[in-house]
Amino acid sequence: MTLLSVLFLSLSSGVKPVSLSKGAKVSLLTSTPVTVAVYTLYGHTAIRIKDDSTRLDVVFNYGVFDFTKCGFIYRFAKGGTDYILSADNFNREFSDYLRQGSGVCEQVIDLLPDEKERLWQSLQLNAMPENRVYRYNFFFDNCATRPYAMIEKSIDGRIDYWGDERHETFRHAVNVLTRKHEWLTLGCDLVLGLPADRVMTQKERLFLPENLKYYLANSVTARGEVSYPTVLETNILSVKVAEREDEMPVLLSPMACFSVLFVVCIIVTLLERKSKRYFLAADCILFFVAGIAGSILFFLSFLSIHPCMFPNMNLLWLHPFHLVLAMLICVKKLKRPAFWYHFVNFAVILAMCVAWLFIPQHFNIAFIPLIAVMLLRSGEALLRKKLLRE
């Protein structure tokens, strides 16, 4: 049985757990972003407590989740994902970082003996089975925010974070890390609403591990009227393994793919005019897919408890009502309601394009050909109705 297991058993049985010696060290471990998986693109933070006198070397990790658990994707989308605090031997945890190819930086925190002990006891209690589960929140409650919050609570004073005053939004901070993954960036720009374009406060920037490491390195701990550097020493435990820079082929980028779709729609429209026929299936497929995508966006905006999702201006051009149009155009007797839907859709999207110049929500340029497709098909429907009247 490991030392950690003994400690947890002593806690659950009411026995006073082992205390740290004065020589114990508390440090923050920051692993660099890697492209192993989506969640590794943002890096990771954990707390290490090492006490040579008791041969204790434990890493507390607030970033554990079970991806295989039934309904994980639905709960994650809804904002109901539970993460777990795990406590494991440093060597095993470090091996995982090395296996991923992450670089690991250790920042030893300047804590007084009483503060170290307070943190140690709190972490042990927090890691108990009945306490270790918490509701994950990407921006405000994650593997980076929890460790620094635990450290701050253990200090008889406060930590003042210093660093450059960047006027950075939540969206920009995320997009910087996903810039080499254009489809992921597109997805983030689609689902993140207007609140994501708010400039972050200095404390809010700490939700990203790399930001936390930077600001912690430039912070001071104030105890009374005296301030000390928060970080005693910085150790590079491993260097990030050089990753292969696989650039996405230009033809597979979102902008290229959606531009091809726009060209195809132009060709279909020209063929309709030439043959004087209406390719009903084209609009059925187009607006059905748009309606499904809009339904997902509607769910994330109105039903998800994730922050920064609502309001989302993308709902003006991508929404569930497109499913209604997909059904209307399939029934000949409903041509008139379909015409008015096209009229409203064309007017709303056109107004949105003008209004977006004044709306502070970020606009991904890859949306342009998609919006152009919507305008083209609704505009052609209006023109076709006019020509039929003539």
Side-chain angles (χ1 to χ4, degrees):
M1 184 177 290
T2 65
L3 173 61
L4 197 59
S5 299
V6 174
L7 292 174
F8 289 166
L9 284 174
S10 67
L11 267 176
S12 60
S13 62
V15 180
K16 185 177 180 180
V18 174
S19 298
L20 297 177
S21 69
K22 291 184 178 180
K25 289 185 177 182
V26 173
S27 57
L28 212 62
L29 301 178
T30 304
S31 61
T32 55
V34 288
T35 58
V36 174
V38 172
Y39 60 87
T40 63
L41 291 173
Y42 306 100
H44 186 60
T45 300
I47 298 176
R48 180 187 186 185
I49 294 185
K50 183 179 182 182
D51 192 350
D52 292 333
S53 65
T54 58
R55 300 176 64 186
L56 178 72
D57 198 351
V58 184
V59 174
F60 289 88
N61 177 5
Y62 280 95
V64 177
F65 63 92
D66 186 1
F67 184 77
T68 63
K69 194 173 181 180
C70 182
F72 176 85
I73 295 178
Y74 169 76
R75 288 195 305 275
F76 186 85
K78 189 178 179 182
T81 310
D82 288 331
Y83 272 45
I84 298 172
L85 167 62
S86 72
D88 203 356
N89 177 272
F90 168 76
N91 289 330
R92 278 195 292 269
E93 196 77 15
F94 187 58
S95 296
D96 289 338
Y97 295 142
L98 294 180
R99 191 160 43 248
Q100 291 180 353
S102 296
V104 180
C105 175
E106 178 184 42
Q107 294 171 298
V108 180
I109 310 300
D110 184 13
L111 297 178
L112 300 176
D114 288 346
E115 296 170 341
K116 296 176 187 177
E117 183 63 27
R118 193 178 302 130
L119 176 62
W120 167 235
Q121 300 297 340
S122 296
L123 286 171
Q124 288 182 87
L125 185 62
N126 210 190
M128 293 295 292
E130 63 271 23
N131 302 325
R132 64 181 182 174
V133 178
Y134 73 98
R135 183 56 50 87
Y136 174 82
N137 185 303
F138 181 74
F139 288 130
F140 303 112
D141 197 355
N142 62 22
C143 71
T145 62
R146 287 254 164 173
Y148 83 71
M150 293 295 290
I151 292 174
E152 285 183 340
K153 288 178 183 177
S154 69
I155 292 175
D156 293 320
R158 70 178 189 278
I159 297 179
D160 294 326
Y161 298 92
W162 301 99
D164 62 329
E165 292 296 328
R166 291 173 290 175
H167 297 288
E168 187 178 36
T169 66
F170 289 100
R171 189 190 305 274
H172 180 265
V174 171
N175 286 355
V176 166
L177 295 173
T178 63
R179 62 189 181 278
K180 295 181 180 178
H181 306 269
E182 294 183 44
W183 285 99
L184 180 58
T185 301
L186 178 81
C188 291
D189 282 341
L190 185 63
V191 302
L192 289 177
L194 189 58
D197 293 289
R198 174 175 64 81
V199 175
M200 295 181 289
T201 65
Q202 188 182 66
K203 201 67 173 287
E204 287 172 337
R205 296 187 193 121
L206 305 185
F207 84 95
L208 287 176
E210 287 293 324
N211 284 355
L212 175 59
K213 181 182 74 172
Y214 166 76
Y215 282 103
L216 202 62
N218 294 281
S219 66
V220 294
T221 301
R223 298 183 180 91
E225 298 181 357
V226 184
S227 297
Y228 305 90
T230 303
V231 177
L232 280 175
E233 60 180 275
T234 301
N235 304 311
I236 304 301
L237 303 184
S238 70
V239 179
K240 179 180 177 180
V241 175
E243 293 184 295
R244 184 178 175 181
E245 297 291 340
D246 290 329
E247 294 291 337
M248 176 181 290
V250 176
L251 294 178
L252 295 180
S253 68
M255 189 64 180
C257 291
F258 296 149
S259 295
V260 169
L261 175 62
F262 179 56
V263 171
V264 170
C265 284
I266 291 176
I267 294 173
V268 169
T269 303
L270 293 175
L271 288 174
E272 284 179 334
R273 289 190 179 185
K274 187 176 181 179
S275 62
K276 296 182 179 181
R277 295 174 56 195
Y278 173 39
F279 298 154
L280 182 146
D283 278 353
C284 274
I285 294 173
L286 173 65
F287 286 100
F288 177 79
V289 173
I292 294 296
S295 299
I296 296 172
L297 189 59
F298 181 90
F299 170 83
L300 293 173
S301 298
F302 288 95
L303 303 179
S304 173
I305 62 174
H306 276 300
C308 301
M309 295 289 191
F310 181 84
N312 190 337
M313 298 299 107
N314 288 312
L315 282 169
L316 292 173
W317 65 275
L318 194 65
H319 47 75
F321 294 115
H322 290 318
L323 289 173
V324 176
L325 178 59
M327 292 184 288
L328 290 177
I329 59 181
C330 290
V331 182
K332 290 184 178 181
K333 293 182 180 181
L334 298 177
K335 285 184 178 181
R336 187 174 182 81
F339 169 80
W340 285 110
Y341 185 99
H342 279 299
F343 179 81
V344 173
N345 187 53
F346 186 85
V348 169
I349 294 179
L350 199 60
M352 180 206 70
C353 292
V354 176
W356 213 300
L357 297 174
F358 309 98
I359 297 173
Q361 180 171 328
H362 172 74
F363 185 84
N364 192 306
I365 60 171
F367 294 157
I368 294 175
L370 287 178
I371 294 173
V373 167
M374 297 287 187
L375 282 173
L376 174 65
R377 295 308 295 171
S378 284
E380 179 63 17
L382 299 179
L383 185 60
R384 182 168 53 248
K385 184 74 172 180
K386 181 181 179 182
L387 292 174
L388 287 174
R389 285 178 178 176
E390 294 176 352

